[in-house]
Amino acid sequence: MKNFKLTYLFVLFLLVLLILPVSVSAKDEWLQVRSKNFNLVGNASEKDIRKVATKLEQFRETFRQLFTQTNLDASIPTNVIVFKSDGAYKPFKPKRADGKTDNFIAGYFQPGEDVNYITISTEGDDADTYGTIFHEYVHFIINTNFGKSEVPPWFNEGLAEYYQTFEISEDQKVKLGLPQSNHLALLQQNKLIPLDTLFKISNYALHQNENHSRSIFYAQSWALIHYLVQGGKSDGLNKFLTLAMKDVPSEKAFQEAFQISYAQMEKELQKYVAQNKYKYSLVTFQNKLIFENEMQTSPISEAVSSAYLGDLLYHTNRADDAEPFLQKAVALEPDSSMANTTFGMVKMRQKKFDEAKNYFEKAISENQKNHLALYNYAFLLSREGRDEFGYVQSFAPEKAAKMRQLLKKAIEVNPSFTESYELLAFVNYVNNEELDEAIAYLRKALQYQPGNQRYAIRIGEIYMRQNKFDEAKNIAEKIASTTDDPPVKAQAENLIMQLRQREDINARNEESRKLYEQAGKNGSQPILVRRDSNEKPLSPEEAAKEREEQEIFAMNQAVRKAQNSEKQVVGHIQKIICKDNVVTYSIKTKDETFSLTSKDFENLELVALIVDPGNTQVGCDENVSAVNAVLTYEPRTDAKNNLRGDLVAVDFVPKNFRFIDVEKYRAEADKKYASAPQPPPPAAMTGADVEAQRKSAMMQAIKDSLRKPLADEKRELGFIEKVECSNKGMFFVINSSKQTFKLLVSSPQAIQIRAYTPEVEQLQFGCNLKKVDIPVIFTFKEDKTLTAKSDGEIISLEFMPKGFQLDK
């Protein structure tokens, strides 16, 4: 018994010794290392973090020296998180489409609109760890400098594949273009893609191809870049980029840059891929690429490290996973501006907008120079009142002023953060104010990010608003043909459709206007004659007066009819004053002066019934006093302020307009003249008509861009009930109007997911996904041979705006 007690105590003592060190080292020491171009944080050793920083700086500097025309001072900063081990890295690795962690990833590059993230473990093999990072970093450089839509995909992908095998020794001897056995094997076993076909493959088409075809594309693009460099044509790479940016046709640019034709290149490339030995480039720099002396190291608190980890998870579309880290960060440091900003973004993703606003306000109060908090607060305000497409009809004056204040402050703090310019332009665009200024904002943003297609398409939309149809069409057609982003493609195609509709409407209106004006010229309309025994024609003076009466008659038919208790007057809007959430209009008629009000401009019906309204705009402090108008209002008396009521509609009319009894005029004219008055000109579209047409055009543009099912595929519209994962695969349970489908994903990486609604921004995709209240078109293939109990294999998911109907 005594021995048992001694043994028990000894074992207990050992357990204490074993457990104690674990608890002491549970809180890792986190460091921050700032190099010249990267911000690194990690729980690895200082030596290892500096080693990562050196490797990234050396790669960047190599690219800079070889591509002297590129600007590597990107407007988007890059954070690097260095984990001490694969175990520490695992919770933060990216997830596959089936929701499971991709454990084979050793490092990755995550681009973002406000910050890029590189994550890496010091335990990985260099080739596995850095290859993907180098590949994606090349894309980031090319896309930022030239624009993804401007650079042919074969060039972009080939260059990234070529540079991803970067190796450096002795800090100055660089190896580039090391052979990739997987590419070589694929090319030697398959027929090459004809160059004319290869060069015409767009970014969008590339991502529609099956995995095998896409793999051949990557391999051949790599081989072509490899051949050009090894064949002494590397100087042509810069020249080709320059010509491509000037919209020189691809074949001409290629031949001019590399001094070889397509036909010659195809023969040379076939010989090249058939050889057994491949050279690589060895570049020895005159000076060693050493960056150690420029680095600064400092410890960071648990609150700061938690904030970085939460921010990383948010930017990898894991907002719910980010929340515990951000909770810890604000619990330890309630005044952390960074943690509060990211927490606000998480709450916005979760549709908890009031909570998001509180976090942004907290972040701004603690740091007036936090441009991200300023921007996101303005962005949150801009989302209020949007429709199912993300469209906002107008912003109230006080809200627009608040957003402009926040955004101009954000630009002052960080002029290179381009989203602030875009949102400022959007505010002007929505309110139809200072459109030239809006374009200037967007062009400033494009100076920092030449390839941002969202900015370019917004310029196109503003051009359409300014009736610059040719300029708008050029932008829209180019983006529609080059983008690989389905929402951007849908936006471009919708703009093209709207432009066509506007051109058709303008053509019809122009024809009607000409006919209407011709009616006022001698001999251009039926001669009016009196209904008497002699049927004597009217004199020129009588005919002119009668034509004027006809115009007034036509306008009386076209103007908005007063409804219920509404009243109408003819007059001029002398002033428009926006103050204290109320818009006040000073009205002057022939006999009196009084005021009308409205809450905003959003529900005001505006119609122009004059041939050339000029730049007439109804907005705060706008001057429209020179234009005659029919003003429809709901009576409401406030004698103290000379208030007559609430303005409902404004119809701009000719100066000679007056109200007449339409039926009486028609009856008298029919009795008086042998020829009836000319029909009225077509009535202008009301605000409600325009809005209905816009929504219809948006829906049609989405339908036109939907993935077309193949012969053996079916598609339905429904709602995802849940997503389940098991050892047999990933299953989507989807309810349609017909039945409930259980569909298997055989290869999660192959599933195509598109979104045509901003609601999907809030969706975190993966296993255990709960019911999703967003309409989705699901395309599937029935397969009775599947061993798992399912209705078939799912091919694609396309999330739709609410109210969308799928045509059969």
Side-chain angles (χ1 to χ4, degrees), residues 149-150 202-204 247 453 456-461 463-464 468-485 488-501 503:
S149 63
E150 304 293 332
S202 65
N203 287 300
Y204 181 78
D247 290 330
Q453 293 177 317
I457 200 68
R458 183 75 71 202
I459 291 177
E461 291 172 339
Y463 278 152
M464 187 181 76
K468 298 177 179 178
F469 298 138
D470 289 340
E471 293 93 329
K473 185 186 294 184
N474 290 338
I475 292 173
E477 288 180 343
K478 183 172 185 178
I479 292 176
S481 64
T482 59
T483 185
D484 63 345
D485 186 337
V488 172
K489 184 177 179 66
Q491 191 176 1
E493 290 174 343
N494 175 59
L495 179 56
I496 292 170
M497 182 177 295
Q498 289 187 58
L499 285 165
R500 289 172 182 163
Q501 291 174 338
E503 288 174 343

Side-chain angles (χ1 to χ4, degrees), residues 181-191 212 215-217 219:
S181 57
N182 59 326
H183 286 340
L184 294 173
L186 193 64
L187 292 172
Q188 289 170 357
Q189 296 168 11
N190 293 273
K191 189 177 180 180
H212 182 69
S215 296
I216 295 175
F217 176 90

